[in-house]
Amino acid sequence: PPGRGPSCAFSMPSPTLVATVAALAVGAASARSPIRGAVTRQDEGRVLSKREGFVELAATHAGQARDASSWANCVEGLRPHKGTFQSKHKGNVQSFVSSSYGVLSDAGCDMDDTDILYSCVRLAFEATGDVNTCEEAIAEEENAPKQDFSGLACTPGAKSATFDSNDPATWDAQPLQVCSEFLNNFGDSEGKRLLRDLAGCHLNGNSKTRTKLSPRTNVAMHQHAASGSHGIGFVYERQSGTSKVTPKVVDYATGRAGNEYKWTHSGTGYNPDFPSKCSSYDQVVPN
């Protein structure tokens, strides 16, 4: 709630916030078919959507769409770093992966899918050994049907005949809340983008498989932060018995242990705890 915890240096609420978030959502598109069977329509100025087979919602960065799980791009993006792989890491894949989160993130590699990631690193640097997993993943992406989507956003004051925990268009969006002690972790462009996406209810979660977790209520999820070396733990928390949903940053990790995160409040694990152990939240309007 407002007034609790340290003051935050974010902009004051703007009447264009909802329109901006909606525009970002409409602009996002994934080459891996984020929505199958999507149907959208306008109803009293609000975008409604009925979704089936929600596979992946691509993250948006600076208003531009990017496919964070394109393994072909991952391999091509890693190849310029072959010298570092050989000289600094002595050809050790695990050593390279554990200390190269920024490089992997810039290349568009999915750091949560370890089997494919290791296979793609070998393909980029060695072109030998067990690279079939990566080649199969690339072939699957190339053969996937290309589909577009729109209307992925929640709306303050939204009224819907039926509440759907997996459909942000049916949520009455409440202001974004951030655990007070983590307010200073979102000052760079990536952090601001994460908060904008979360406030608009179109920040997806990472999973241990290639499928991303679409926005859903009362489920703790995480996304990469600081180019993959950190993690943001978040939840879309529904007020019981209502359609009110509050996007919340509930935990933050400043380190990783392999494929898990070292959460501030939740200890080491893949996702943070929910309900959260954070004791104080601040309302934030992203800029």
Side-chain angles (χ1 to χ4, degrees):
R4 297 186 63 183
S7 60
C8 47
F10 292 89
S11 62
M12 295 298 290
S14 165
T16 62
L17 174 63
V18 175
T20 301
V21 169
L24 285 172
V26 170
S30 169
R32 292 183 56 208
S33 307
I35 297 177
R36 294 175 180 172
V39 179
T40 62
R41 65 182 176 88
Q42 293 285 343
D43 184 11
E44 299 178 349
R46 183 168 67 88
V47 178
L48 300 177
S49 60
K50 179 180 180 181
R51 299 193 265 287
E52 297 177 359
F54 201 125
V55 178
E56 178 181 350
L57 174 61
T60 58
H61 181 64
Q64 301 296 320
R66 64 172 182 169
D67 182 8
S69 299
S70 172
W71 291 109
N73 291 341
C74 172
V75 171
E76 291 302 314
L78 290 179
R79 281 179 172 151
H81 301 277
K82 184 175 182 178
T84 300
F85 173 72
Q86 293 175 333
S87 62
K88 181 178 179 180
H89 300 281
K90 310 303 180 185
N92 186 299
V93 174
Q94 185 174 358
S95 172
F96 177 83
V97 169
S98 63
S99 62
S100 305
Y101 293 118
V103 170
L104 294 166
S105 178
D106 290 344
C109 306
D110 185 344
M111 286 168 282
D112 283 313
D113 204 326
T114 307
D115 290 343
I116 300 178
L117 176 60
Y118 276 43
S119 179
C120 285
V121 170
R122 292 189 180 96
L123 182 60
F125 297 144
E126 302 171 358
T128 58
D130 181 18
V131 297
N132 291 335
T133 301
C134 180
E135 292 175 334
E136 291 171 359
I138 293 173
E140 179 183 323
E141 289 175 339
E142 290 175 345
N143 295 327
K146 306 298 188 293
Q147 295 181 335
D148 198 359
F149 65 93
S150 62
L152 295 178
C154 52
T155 306
K159 304 298 181 183
S160 177
T162 303
F163 178 86
D164 185 344
S165 62
N166 297 310
D167 186 351
T170 68
W171 303 352
D172 178 0
Q174 304 301 297
L176 170 68
Q177 293 193 10
V178 177
C179 186
S180 301
E181 63 193 282
F182 307 132
L183 286 171
N184 293 329
N185 295 359
F186 300 94
D188 61 5
S189 59
E190 180 188 31
K192 292 176 181 179
R193 190 266 302 170
L194 287 168
L195 292 186
R196 287 196 303 270
D197 287 354
L198 181 57
C201 305
H202 53 90
L203 182 65
N204 59 15
N206 291 325
S207 73
K208 294 182 179 180
T209 67
R210 300 184 64 204
T211 302
K212 300 294 183 181
L213 298 177
S214 61
R216 59 198 64 185
T217 59
N218 294 345
V219 175
M221 297 186 283
H222 82 271
Q223 261 288 358
H224 300 307
S227 297
S229 59
H230 294 184
I232 169 180
F234 63 96
V235 66
Y236 298 102
E237 185 173 0
R238 181 189 182 189
Q239 181 177 322
S240 180
T242 75
S243 61
K244 297 181 183 296
V245 176
T246 302
K248 301 177 75 171
V249 175
V250 298
D251 213 338
Y252 196 90
T254 55
R256 295 178 64 158
N259 207 29
E260 297 187 327
Y261 290 82
K262 298 178 180 179
W263 299 106
T264 302
H265 294 297
S266 308
T268 300
Y270 193 71
N271 286 317
D273 293 336
F274 180 73
S276 170
K277 297 181 179 68
C278 178
S279 60
S280 175
Y281 288 87
D282 280 77
Q283 181 175 310
V284 171
V285 177
N287 55 19

